[in-house]
Amino acid sequence: MHADLGEQTVYDGNNRLQAYATRYQWKNGLVVKDWRYVVRIANIDVSDLVGVTGTQLNTAATDLVKLMARAMYRIPNMSMGRAAFYMNRTVHSGLAVKAMDRSQNVLAVNQGLSQFGTPYSWLSFLGVPCRRVDALINAEARLT
């Protein structure tokens, strides 16, 4: 939206100036063209992923890996668009530990170079990148 506010008197410190003012407003949103290409994994028990080692971590991460595999096979055509898993820091770190413990290629820590040539690594599940998003929180109400 655009609104021309015309000429106004503005103050810069002790000086008065005449300036043209314009107001811009931009409302962003996200559009999903086809609902069949979005899968949500809810009610992840992160208490098993935080601060534990051994079989408890392996059980929690294995359950999550199974849910991720089921989510991938709900998508009608994986070659449409760019598939990605978005998760918070807790889930991402639990999967990263699981990827380092296993020698399978299901969960992998990939190596590469950024656009500036600096080395970095990323986590992937069956070739689909797992992206960390800090806006996703653990304190959601559970779905029943």
Side-chain angles (χ1 to χ4, degrees), residues 114-131:
S114 71
Q115 63 182 357
F116 303 110
T118 56
Y120 75 101
S121 61
W122 69 93
L123 185 66
S124 69
F125 176 76
L126 293 175
V128 177
C130 299
R131 298 194 177 125

Side-chain angles (χ1 to χ4, degrees), residues 6-79:
E7 189 174 337
Q8 296 181 353
T9 303
V10 295
Y11 298 95
D12 180 25
N14 293 331
N15 300 328
R16 288 184 357 190
L17 304 167
Q18 292 298 112
Y20 289 104
T22 304
R23 179 175 180 237
Y24 293 100
Q25 185 177 10
W26 188 17
K27 296 182 179 180
N28 293 331
L30 175 69
V31 175
V32 178
K33 290 183 180 179
D34 191 348
W35 61 269
R36 298 174 302 158
Y37 287 86
V38 177
V39 179
R40 179 176 184 238
I41 301 173
N43 298 340
I44 299 171
D45 187 10
V46 294
S47 63
D48 292 342
L49 293 173
V50 181
V52 296
T53 57
T55 58
Q56 189 176 6
L57 174 64
N58 286 337
T59 304
T62 302
D63 292 342
L64 184 55
V65 166
K66 290 177 183 176
L67 290 173
M68 291 170 72
R70 286 185 185 146
M72 281 186 64
Y73 289 105
R74 288 180 184 253
I75 304 293
N77 185 359
M78 288 295 288
S79 63

